[in-house]
Amino acid sequence: MPENRTPAPAQHTPTAYGWCSWHQGYSGGVRLIQVVEQGSGPGGHVFACASCRELHGLVPFADQP
Ligand SMILES: [Zn+2]
């Protein structure tokens, strides 16, 4: 059986492109800040870009104790 799966590119830089909930716009290098759990309504993941993290002193979810 041939191995047809293309190996994922090695990406160690956290340069995900996504929605920043702080300045309400798309930006590169967003990080997950917190996971919102809501019983009703759309919960979800809250992301912030690098400049907003610096501006608001946000700690990425993965870096929190
Ligand atoms: Zn931002």
Side-chain angles (χ1 to χ4, degrees):
M1 183 165 292
E3 188 73 27
N4 279 335
R5 285 185 300 175
T6 314
Q11 287 187 337
H12 298 289
T13 49
T15 53
Y17 190 79
W19 180 264
C20 172
S21 298
W22 271 259
H23 76 257
Q24 297 287 297
Y26 285 102
S27 180
V30 295
R31 293 286 304 274
L32 175 64
I33 301 301
Q34 68 181 88
V35 179
V36 179
E37 294 183 21
Q38 292 179 328
S40 61
H45 298 159
V46 181
F47 295 87
C49 70
S51 37
C52 285
R53 289 199 309 273
E54 189 172 337
L55 187 65
H56 299 283
L58 303 167
V59 180
F61 188 75
D63 297 344
Q64 291 176 19

Tab-separated table of all heavy atoms in Angstrom:
chain	number	residue	atom	x	y	z
A	1	MET	N	0.854	-1.216	0.000
A	1	MET	CA	0.000	0.000	0.000
A	1	MET	C	0.879	1.252	0.000
A	1	MET	O	1.698	1.417	0.889
A	1	MET	CB	-0.902	0.001	1.228
A	1	MET	CG	-1.851	1.192	1.254
A	1	MET	SD	-3.203	0.998	2.424
A	1	MET	CE	-4.136	-0.327	1.679
A	2	PRO	N	0.703	2.075	-1.023
A	2	PRO	CA	1.571	3.264	-1.108
A	2	PRO	C	1.248	4.303	-0.041
A	2	PRO	O	0.099	4.463	0.370
A	2	PRO	CB	1.286	3.817	-2.508
A	2	PRO	CG	-0.103	3.336	-2.807
A	2	PRO	CD	-0.251	2.004	-2.110
A	3	GLU	N	2.268	4.975	0.363
A	3	GLU	CA	2.098	6.035	1.370
A	3	GLU	C	1.857	7.352	0.640
A	3	GLU	O	2.772	7.981	0.148
A	3	GLU	CB	3.367	6.128	2.230
A	3	GLU	CG	3.235	7.054	3.433
A	3	GLU	CD	2.376	6.452	4.532
A	3	GLU	OE1	2.297	5.205	4.627
A	3	GLU	OE2	1.801	7.216	5.301
A	4	ASN	N	0.604	7.746	0.557
A	4	ASN	CA	0.260	8.925	-0.226
A	4	ASN	C	0.135	10.194	0.594
A	4	ASN	O	-0.068	11.265	0.055
A	4	ASN	CB	-1.070	8.702	-0.960
A	4	ASN	CG	-0.850	7.897	-2.241
A	4	ASN	OD1	0.238	7.917	-2.791
A	4	ASN	ND2	-1.862	7.194	-2.687
A	5	ARG	N	0.232	10.036	1.880
A	5	ARG	CA	0.039	11.233	2.716
A	5	ARG	C	1.235	12.171	2.615
A	5	ARG	O	2.373	11.749	2.818
A	5	ARG	CB	-0.182	10.824	4.167
A	5	ARG	CG	-1.590	10.258	4.375
A	5	ARG	CD	-1.838	9.984	5.825
A	5	ARG	NE	-0.871	9.017	6.362
A	5	ARG	CZ	-0.804	8.665	7.631
A	5	ARG	NH1	-1.632	9.188	8.494
A	5	ARG	NH2	0.088	7.800	8.060
A	6	THR	N	0.952	13.391	2.330
A	6	THR	CA	2.008	14.389	2.264
A	6	THR	C	2.384	14.798	3.683
A	6	THR	O	1.505	15.124	4.479
A	6	THR	CB	1.528	15.645	1.504
A	6	THR	OG1	0.867	15.232	0.317
A	6	THR	CG2	2.690	16.539	1.154
A	7	PRO	N	3.648	14.727	3.981
A	7	PRO	CA	4.054	15.127	5.334
A	7	PRO	C	3.786	16.601	5.581
A	7	PRO	O	3.985	17.442	4.702
A	7	PRO	CB	5.553	14.829	5.361
A	7	PRO	CG	5.965	14.811	3.924
A	7	PRO	CD	4.770	14.314	3.153
A	8	ALA	N	3.310	16.897	6.756
A	8	ALA	CA	3.027	18.290	7.098
A	8	ALA	C	4.337	19.073	7.182
A	8	ALA	O	5.339	18.555	7.667
A	8	ALA	CB	2.300	18.360	8.435
A	9	PRO	N	4.311	20.288	6.677
A	9	PRO	CA	5.528	21.114	6.749
A	9	PRO	C	5.892	21.429	8.196
A	9	PRO	O	5.027	21.660	9.032
A	9	PRO	CB	5.146	22.388	5.986
A	9	PRO	CG	3.646	22.420	6.019
A	9	PRO	CD	3.207	20.979	6.046
A	10	ALA	N	7.155	21.403	8.456
A	10	ALA	CA	7.618	21.695	9.805
A	10	ALA	C	7.451	23.175	10.109
A	10	ALA	O	8.118	24.013	9.528
A	10	ALA	CB	9.081	21.292	9.948
A	11	GLN	N	6.532	23.451	10.993
A	11	GLN	CA	6.290	24.849	11.351
A	11	GLN	C	6.344	24.985	12.866
A	11	GLN	O	5.454	24.536	13.570
A	11	GLN	CB	4.935	25.313	10.831
A	11	GLN	CG	4.922	25.523	9.319
A	11	GLN	CD	3.611	26.150	8.846
A	11	GLN	OE1	2.596	26.047	9.507
A	11	GLN	NE2	3.659	26.820	7.718
A	12	HIS	N	7.373	25.585	13.315
A	12	HIS	CA	7.519	25.767	14.758
A	12	HIS	C	7.200	27.197	15.172
A	12	HIS	O	7.145	27.510	16.338
A	12	HIS	CB	8.933	25.400	15.200
A	12	HIS	CG	9.255	23.956	14.934
A	12	HIS	ND1	8.697	22.925	15.658
A	12	HIS	CD2	10.043	23.377	14.023
A	12	HIS	CE1	9.148	21.767	15.182
A	12	HIS	NE2	9.970	22.015	14.187
A	13	THR	N	7.015	28.040	14.187
A	13	THR	CA	6.722	29.433	14.502
A	13	THR	C	5.222	29.624	14.660
A	13	THR	O	4.457	29.232	13.787
A	13	THR	CB	7.251	30.359	13.395
A	13	THR	OG1	6.826	29.848	12.141
A	13	THR	CG2	8.751	30.447	13.423
A	14	PRO	N	4.807	30.196	15.760
A	14	PRO	CA	3.375	30.388	16.005
A	14	PRO	C	2.820	31.566	15.222
A	14	PRO	O	2.506	32.611	15.768
A	14	PRO	CB	3.311	30.637	17.510
A	14	PRO	CG	4.626	31.255	17.841
A	14	PRO	CD	5.623	30.675	16.852
A	15	THR	N	2.740	31.377	13.925
A	15	THR	CA	2.254	32.472	13.086
A	15	THR	C	0.901	32.125	12.501
A	15	THR	O	0.690	32.242	11.304
A	15	THR	CB	3.255	32.790	11.969
A	15	THR	OG1	3.540	31.575	11.274
A	15	THR	CG2	4.522	33.398	12.506
A	16	ALA	N	0.019	31.665	13.341
A	16	ALA	CA	-1.316	31.331	12.866
A	16	ALA	C	-2.059	32.602	12.485
A	16	ALA	O	-1.946	33.633	13.143
A	16	ALA	CB	-2.074	30.593	13.956
A	17	TYR	N	-2.811	32.483	11.404
A	17	TYR	CA	-3.594	33.611	10.949
A	17	TYR	C	-5.021	33.411	11.420
A	17	TYR	O	-5.621	32.364	11.180
A	17	TYR	CB	-3.540	33.691	9.417
A	17	TYR	CG	-4.114	34.956	8.839
A	17	TYR	CD1	-3.357	36.129	8.858
A	17	TYR	CD2	-5.376	34.975	8.287
A	17	TYR	CE1	-3.878	37.293	8.331
A	17	TYR	CE2	-5.901	36.134	7.747
A	17	TYR	CZ	-5.154	37.290	7.773
A	17	TYR	OH	-5.664	38.443	7.243
A	18	GLY	N	-5.537	34.390	12.114
A	18	GLY	CA	-6.888	34.201	12.630
A	18	GLY	C	-7.482	35.491	13.157
A	18	GLY	O	-6.906	36.582	13.008
A	19	TRP	N	-8.614	35.343	13.786
A	19	TRP	CA	-9.386	36.485	14.273
A	19	TRP	C	-8.897	36.908	15.644
A	19	TRP	O	-8.814	36.105	16.575
A	19	TRP	CB	-10.872	36.094	14.346
A	19	TRP	CG	-11.768	37.181	14.827
A	19	TRP	CD1	-12.215	37.371	16.103
A	19	TRP	CD2	-12.335	38.237	14.049
A	19	TRP	NE1	-13.016	38.481	16.140
A	19	TRP	CE2	-13.116	39.026	14.907
A	19	TRP	CE3	-12.247	38.580	12.684
A	19	TRP	CZ2	-13.819	40.147	14.452
A	19	TRP	CZ3	-12.947	39.687	12.242
A	19	TRP	CH2	-13.720	40.465	13.111
A	20	CYS	N	-8.576	38.181	15.768
A	20	CYS	CA	-8.201	38.734	17.064
A	20	CYS	C	-9.445	39.324	17.701
A	20	CYS	O	-10.069	40.220	17.143
A	20	CYS	CB	-7.115	39.792	16.912
A	20	CYS	SG	-6.769	40.662	18.448
A	21	SER	N	-9.794	38.823	18.873
A	21	SER	CA	-11.017	39.275	19.532
A	21	SER	C	-10.847	40.630	20.199
A	21	SER	O	-11.810	41.227	20.650
A	21	SER	CB	-11.445	38.247	20.584
A	21	SER	OG	-11.729	37.010	19.973
A	22	TRP	N	-9.611	41.109	20.268
A	22	TRP	CA	-9.386	42.363	20.968
A	22	TRP	C	-9.516	43.574	20.052
A	22	TRP	O	-10.164	44.545	20.396
A	22	TRP	CB	-8.028	42.338	21.669
A	22	TRP	CG	-8.144	41.785	23.055
A	22	TRP	CD1	-8.185	42.500	24.212
A	22	TRP	CD2	-8.258	40.412	23.440
A	22	TRP	NE1	-8.332	41.644	25.282
A	22	TRP	CE2	-8.382	40.363	24.848
A	22	TRP	CE3	-8.274	39.218	22.723
A	22	TRP	CZ2	-8.506	39.179	25.551
A	22	TRP	CZ3	-8.414	38.028	23.417
A	22	TRP	CH2	-8.530	38.022	24.814
A	23	HIS	N	-8.863	43.495	18.887
A	23	HIS	CA	-9.039	44.633	17.971
A	23	HIS	C	-10.069	44.325	16.887
A	23	HIS	O	-10.259	45.125	15.973
A	23	HIS	CB	-7.688	45.076	17.385
A	23	HIS	CG	-7.149	44.174	16.309
A	23	HIS	ND1	-6.121	43.265	16.542
A	23	HIS	CD2	-7.469	44.053	14.999
A	23	HIS	CE1	-5.860	42.634	15.393
A	23	HIS	NE2	-6.654	43.077	14.452
A	24	GLN	N	-10.732	43.165	17.026
A	24	GLN	CA	-11.827	42.795	16.134
A	24	GLN	C	-11.397	42.798	14.673
A	24	GLN	O	-11.938	43.509	13.829
A	24	GLN	CB	-13.028	43.748	16.337
A	24	GLN	CG	-13.629	43.676	17.728
A	24	GLN	CD	-14.424	42.409	17.952
A	24	GLN	OE1	-15.413	42.171	17.299
A	24	GLN	NE2	-13.969	41.578	18.874
A	25	GLY	N	-10.386	42.019	14.403
A	25	GLY	CA	-9.933	41.926	13.030
A	25	GLY	C	-9.010	40.741	12.855
A	25	GLY	O	-8.528	40.162	13.838
A	26	TYR	N	-8.775	40.369	11.613
A	26	TYR	CA	-7.868	39.264	11.333
A	26	TYR	C	-6.428	39.733	11.423
A	26	TYR	O	-6.109	40.856	11.042
A	26	TYR	CB	-8.149	38.684	9.943
A	26	TYR	CG	-9.404	37.839	9.914
A	26	TYR	CD1	-10.582	38.342	9.391
A	26	TYR	CD2	-9.386	36.542	10.425
A	26	TYR	CE1	-11.744	37.565	9.369
A	26	TYR	CE2	-10.531	35.773	10.405
A	26	TYR	CZ	-11.703	36.281	9.881
A	26	TYR	OH	-12.841	35.517	9.866
A	27	SER	N	-5.591	38.856	11.936
A	27	SER	CA	-4.189	39.201	12.069
A	27	SER	C	-3.347	37.939	12.072
A	27	SER	O	-3.827	36.855	12.410
A	27	SER	CB	-3.972	39.995	13.365
A	27	SER	OG	-2.616	40.334	13.498
A	28	GLY	N	-2.092	38.084	11.705
A	28	GLY	CA	-1.190	36.945	11.767
A	28	GLY	C	-0.586	36.832	13.150
A	28	GLY	O	-0.495	37.803	13.892
A	29	GLY	N	-0.194	35.631	13.498
A	29	GLY	CA	0.473	35.419	14.780
A	29	GLY	C	-0.461	35.426	15.973
A	29	GLY	O	-0.048	35.714	17.083
A	30	VAL	N	-1.726	35.093	15.741
A	30	VAL	CA	-2.647	35.051	16.869
A	30	VAL	C	-2.360	33.830	17.739
A	30	VAL	O	-1.891	32.809	17.263
A	30	VAL	CB	-4.123	35.020	16.396
A	30	VAL	CG1	-4.478	36.311	15.691
A	30	VAL	CG2	-4.384	33.817	15.516
A	31	ARG	N	-2.629	33.990	19.009
A	31	ARG	CA	-2.466	32.879	19.955
A	31	ARG	C	-3.779	32.695	20.700
A	31	ARG	O	-4.487	33.657	20.975
A	31	ARG	CB	-1.349	33.195	20.963
A	31	ARG	CG	0.040	33.263	20.357
A	31	ARG	CD	0.602	31.893	20.007
A	31	ARG	NE	0.628	30.979	21.140
A	31	ARG	CZ	1.623	30.917	22.017
A	31	ARG	NH1	2.668	31.689	21.906
A	31	ARG	NH2	1.568	30.057	23.015
A	32	LEU	N	-4.035	31.456	21.067
A	32	LEU	CA	-5.228	31.166	21.854
A	32	LEU	C	-5.048	31.718	23.264
A	32	LEU	O	-4.075	31.404	23.947
A	32	LEU	CB	-5.452	29.660	21.899
A	32	LEU	CG	-6.601	29.165	22.774
A	32	LEU	CD1	-7.937	29.666	22.258
A	32	LEU	CD2	-6.606	27.654	22.842
A	33	ILE	N	-5.962	32.557	23.662
A	33	ILE	CA	-5.862	33.150	24.995
A	33	ILE	C	-6.703	32.384	26.003
A	33	ILE	O	-6.250	32.021	27.068
A	33	ILE	CB	-6.313	34.625	24.964
A	33	ILE	CG1	-5.447	35.420	23.977
A	33	ILE	CG2	-6.226	35.239	26.359
A	33	ILE	CD1	-3.969	35.399	24.297
A	34	GLN	N	-7.940	32.124	25.661
A	34	GLN	CA	-8.747	31.338	26.580
A	34	GLN	C	-9.867	30.621	25.858
A	34	GLN	O	-10.266	30.990	24.758
A	34	GLN	CB	-9.320	32.217	27.687
A	34	GLN	CG	-10.365	33.213	27.212
A	34	GLN	CD	-10.869	34.059	28.372
A	34	GLN	OE1	-10.317	35.093	28.696
A	34	GLN	NE2	-11.919	33.603	29.001
A	35	VAL	N	-10.314	29.571	26.494
A	35	VAL	CA	-11.415	28.799	25.951
A	35	VAL	C	-12.681	29.203	26.695
A	35	VAL	O	-12.746	29.115	27.916
A	35	VAL	CB	-11.162	27.293	26.109
A	35	VAL	CG1	-12.338	26.496	25.563
A	35	VAL	CG2	-9.879	26.892	25.410
A	36	VAL	N	-13.645	29.686	25.943
A	36	VAL	CA	-14.884	30.143	26.542
A	36	VAL	C	-15.890	29.007	26.530
A	36	VAL	O	-16.194	28.459	25.485
A	36	VAL	CB	-15.451	31.350	25.766
A	36	VAL	CG1	-16.762	31.807	26.387
A	36	VAL	CG2	-14.431	32.475	25.743
A	37	GLU	N	-16.357	28.674	27.711
A	37	GLU	CA	-17.369	27.637	27.801
A	37	GLU	C	-18.675	28.277	28.233
A	37	GLU	O	-18.763	28.883	29.295
A	37	GLU	CB	-16.943	26.570	28.804
A	37	GLU	CG	-15.720	25.797	28.341
A	37	GLU	CD	-15.375	24.693	29.323
A	37	GLU	OE1	-16.260	24.288	30.089
A	37	GLU	OE2	-14.219	24.256	29.330
A	38	GLN	N	-19.664	28.140	27.382
A	38	GLN	CA	-20.956	28.734	27.691
A	38	GLN	C	-22.034	27.685	27.528
A	38	GLN	O	-22.045	26.918	26.580
A	38	GLN	CB	-21.234	29.917	26.758
A	38	GLN	CG	-20.310	31.103	27.015
A	38	GLN	CD	-20.587	32.243	26.053
A	38	GLN	OE1	-20.971	32.010	24.931
A	38	GLN	NE2	-20.395	33.456	26.512
A	39	GLY	N	-22.967	27.665	28.486
A	39	GLY	CA	-24.045	26.691	28.424
A	39	GLY	C	-24.971	26.981	27.266
A	39	GLY	O	-25.444	26.087	26.581
A	40	SER	N	-25.238	28.240	27.042
A	40	SER	CA	-26.086	28.628	25.920
A	40	SER	C	-25.362	29.682	25.108
A	40	SER	O	-24.654	30.509	25.646
A	40	SER	CB	-27.422	29.184	26.421
A	40	SER	OG	-27.204	30.318	27.209
A	41	GLY	N	-25.547	29.644	23.832
A	41	GLY	CA	-24.865	30.603	22.985
A	41	GLY	C	-23.540	30.044	22.511
A	41	GLY	O	-23.085	29.003	22.969
A	42	PRO	N	-22.953	30.764	21.602
A	42	PRO	CA	-21.703	30.280	21.008
A	42	PRO	C	-20.508	30.492	21.927
A	42	PRO	O	-20.056	31.614	22.119
A	42	PRO	CB	-21.587	31.100	19.722
A	42	PRO	CG	-22.328	32.363	20.028
A	42	PRO	CD	-23.395	32.017	21.037
A	43	GLY	N	-20.030	29.448	22.487
A	43	GLY	CA	-18.768	29.540	23.206
A	43	GLY	C	-17.667	29.484	22.193
A	43	GLY	O	-17.885	29.684	21.010
A	44	GLY	N	-16.482	29.199	22.625
A	44	GLY	CA	-15.439	29.040	21.624
A	44	GLY	C	-14.095	29.472	22.127
A	44	GLY	O	-13.883	29.625	23.332
A	45	HIS	N	-13.223	29.667	21.198
A	45	HIS	CA	-11.863	30.014	21.519
A	45	HIS	C	-11.631	31.490	21.265
A	45	HIS	O	-12.087	32.032	20.270
A	45	HIS	CB	-10.888	29.183	20.683
A	45	HIS	CG	-11.011	27.709	20.951
A	45	HIS	ND1	-10.577	26.761	20.072
A	45	HIS	CD2	-11.514	27.042	22.010
A	45	HIS	CE1	-10.816	25.560	20.578
A	45	HIS	NE2	-11.373	25.698	21.749
A	46	VAL	N	-10.922	32.132	22.161
A	46	VAL	CA	-10.638	33.553	22.030
A	46	VAL	C	-9.164	33.719	21.701
A	46	VAL	O	-8.298	33.256	22.441
A	46	VAL	CB	-10.987	34.298	23.331
A	46	VAL	CG1	-10.699	35.783	23.181
A	46	VAL	CG2	-12.453	34.080	23.693
A	47	PHE	N	-8.901	34.368	20.589
A	47	PHE	CA	-7.534	34.564	20.136
A	47	PHE	C	-7.153	36.032	20.201
A	47	PHE	O	-8.011	36.916	20.085
A	47	PHE	CB	-7.369	34.069	18.686
A	47	PHE	CG	-7.555	32.587	18.542
A	47	PHE	CD1	-8.816	32.052	18.345
A	47	PHE	CD2	-6.466	31.744	18.605
A	47	PHE	CE1	-8.995	30.678	18.205
A	47	PHE	CE2	-6.628	30.372	18.469
A	47	PHE	CZ	-7.896	29.844	18.270
A	48	ALA	N	-5.873	36.289	20.366
A	48	ALA	CA	-5.377	37.655	20.349
A	48	ALA	C	-4.063	37.698	19.574
A	48	ALA	O	-3.251	36.771	19.635
A	48	ALA	CB	-5.162	38.168	21.767
A	49	CYS	N	-3.872	38.786	18.853
A	49	CYS	CA	-2.647	38.938	18.080
A	49	CYS	C	-1.517	39.415	18.999
A	49	CYS	O	-1.733	39.756	20.162
A	49	CYS	CB	-2.868	39.908	16.925
A	49	CYS	SG	-3.092	41.615	17.434
A	50	ALA	N	-0.326	39.472	18.453
A	50	ALA	CA	0.846	39.794	19.256
A	50	ALA	C	0.762	41.191	19.856
A	50	ALA	O	1.049	41.383	21.039
A	50	ALA	CB	2.097	39.660	18.403
A	51	SER	N	0.347	42.167	19.055
A	51	SER	CA	0.313	43.533	19.566
A	51	SER	C	-0.753	43.702	20.630
A	51	SER	O	-0.556	44.439	21.599
A	51	SER	CB	0.114	44.527	18.419
A	51	SER	OG	-0.754	44.019	17.452
A	52	CYS	N	-1.874	43.014	20.489
A	52	CYS	CA	-2.913	43.109	21.508
A	52	CYS	C	-2.498	42.380	22.779
A	52	CYS	O	-2.842	42.804	23.877
A	52	CYS	CB	-4.230	42.551	20.980
A	52	CYS	SG	-5.056	43.650	19.816
A	53	ARG	N	-1.763	41.287	22.638
A	53	ARG	CA	-1.278	40.585	23.831
A	53	ARG	C	-0.345	41.486	24.622
A	53	ARG	O	-0.370	41.534	25.847
A	53	ARG	CB	-0.547	39.306	23.438
A	53	ARG	CG	-1.465	38.225	22.917
A	53	ARG	CD	-0.810	36.849	22.983
A	53	ARG	NE	0.518	36.800	22.378
A	53	ARG	CZ	0.730	36.573	21.085
A	53	ARG	NH1	-0.283	36.402	20.271
A	53	ARG	NH2	1.947	36.542	20.604
A	54	GLU	N	0.493	42.209	23.875
A	54	GLU	CA	1.438	43.101	24.538
A	54	GLU	C	0.700	44.283	25.167
A	54	GLU	O	0.976	44.695	26.286
A	54	GLU	CB	2.467	43.591	23.522
A	54	GLU	CG	3.616	44.355	24.150
A	54	GLU	CD	4.710	44.649	23.134
A	54	GLU	OE1	4.798	43.919	22.124
A	54	GLU	OE2	5.458	45.602	23.345
A	55	LEU	N	-0.278	44.800	24.431
A	55	LEU	CA	-1.015	45.973	24.882
A	55	LEU	C	-1.831	45.678	26.131
A	55	LEU	O	-1.912	46.486	27.053
A	55	LEU	CB	-1.923	46.450	23.740
A	55	LEU	CG	-2.666	47.766	23.949
A	55	LEU	CD1	-1.664	48.911	24.046
A	55	LEU	CD2	-3.627	48.012	22.805
A	56	HIS	N	-2.414	44.494	26.182
A	56	HIS	CA	-3.319	44.164	27.283
A	56	HIS	C	-2.701	43.205	28.299
A	56	HIS	O	-3.371	42.792	29.246
A	56	HIS	CB	-4.612	43.560	26.726
A	56	HIS	CG	-5.374	44.492	25.812
A	56	HIS	ND1	-6.146	45.534	26.278
A	56	HIS	CD2	-5.462	44.550	24.465
A	56	HIS	CE1	-6.677	46.177	25.242
A	56	HIS	NE2	-6.275	45.595	24.135
A	57	GLY	N	-1.448	42.836	28.065
A	57	GLY	CA	-0.793	41.929	28.998
A	57	GLY	C	-1.431	40.561	29.034
A	57	GLY	O	-1.576	39.956	30.101
A	58	LEU	N	-1.803	40.059	27.869
A	58	LEU	CA	-2.499	38.771	27.795
A	58	LEU	C	-1.480	37.642	27.778
A	58	LEU	O	-0.445	37.727	27.142
A	58	LEU	CB	-3.350	38.715	26.533
A	58	LEU	CG	-4.387	39.832	26.398
A	58	LEU	CD1	-4.953	39.858	24.990
A	58	LEU	CD2	-5.493	39.654	27.407
A	59	VAL	N	-1.818	36.576	28.486
A	59	VAL	CA	-0.972	35.398	28.520
A	59	VAL	C	-1.642	34.297	27.698
A	59	VAL	O	-2.790	33.957	27.966
A	59	VAL	CB	-0.773	34.915	29.966
A	59	VAL	CG1	0.117	33.676	29.981
A	59	VAL	CG2	-0.181	36.029	30.812
A	60	PRO	N	-0.937	33.782	26.694
A	60	PRO	CA	-1.506	32.701	25.881
A	60	PRO	C	-1.917	31.521	26.748
A	60	PRO	O	-1.282	31.213	27.757
A	60	PRO	CB	-0.373	32.321	24.935
A	60	PRO	CG	0.455	33.563	24.835
A	60	PRO	CD	0.363	34.204	26.189
A	61	PHE	N	-2.988	30.870	26.338
A	61	PHE	CA	-3.554	29.761	27.100
A	61	PHE	C	-2.506	28.687	27.380
A	61	PHE	O	-2.429	28.142	28.489
A	61	PHE	CB	-4.726	29.165	26.324
A	61	PHE	CG	-5.506	28.136	27.089
A	61	PHE	CD1	-6.367	28.524	28.097
A	61	PHE	CD2	-5.371	26.792	26.807
A	61	PHE	CE1	-7.091	27.587	28.817
A	61	PHE	CE2	-6.094	25.836	27.520
A	61	PHE	CZ	-6.953	26.242	28.525
A	62	ALA	N	-1.670	28.423	26.398
A	62	ALA	CA	-0.676	27.368	26.543
A	62	ALA	C	0.437	27.757	27.524
A	62	ALA	O	1.143	26.898	28.040
A	62	ALA	CB	-0.073	27.031	25.188
A	63	ASP	N	0.583	29.055	27.769
A	63	ASP	CA	1.645	29.520	28.647
A	63	ASP	C	1.157	29.791	30.057
A	63	ASP	O	1.926	30.175	30.927
A	63	ASP	CB	2.280	30.808	28.077
A	63	ASP	CG	2.942	30.547	26.734
A	63	ASP	OD1	3.164	29.362	26.404
A	63	ASP	OD2	3.234	31.502	26.019
A	64	GLN	N	-0.129	29.613	30.271
A	64	GLN	CA	-0.664	29.869	31.607
A	64	GLN	C	-0.341	28.700	32.526
A	64	GLN	O	-0.272	27.558	32.072
A	64	GLN	CB	-2.187	30.068	31.533
A	64	GLN	CG	-2.572	31.364	30.823
A	64	GLN	CD	-4.077	31.505	30.654
A	64	GLN	OE1	-4.845	30.845	31.333
A	64	GLN	NE2	-4.486	32.370	29.747
A	65	PRO	N	-0.151	28.990	33.813
A	65	PRO	CA	0.189	27.929	34.760
A	65	PRO	C	-0.961	26.946	34.977
A	65	PRO	O	-2.108	27.329	34.809
A	65	PRO	CB	0.491	28.675	36.058
A	65	PRO	CG	-0.232	29.969	35.917
A	65	PRO	CD	-0.212	30.304	34.441
B	1	ZN	ZN	-5.268	42.302	18.015
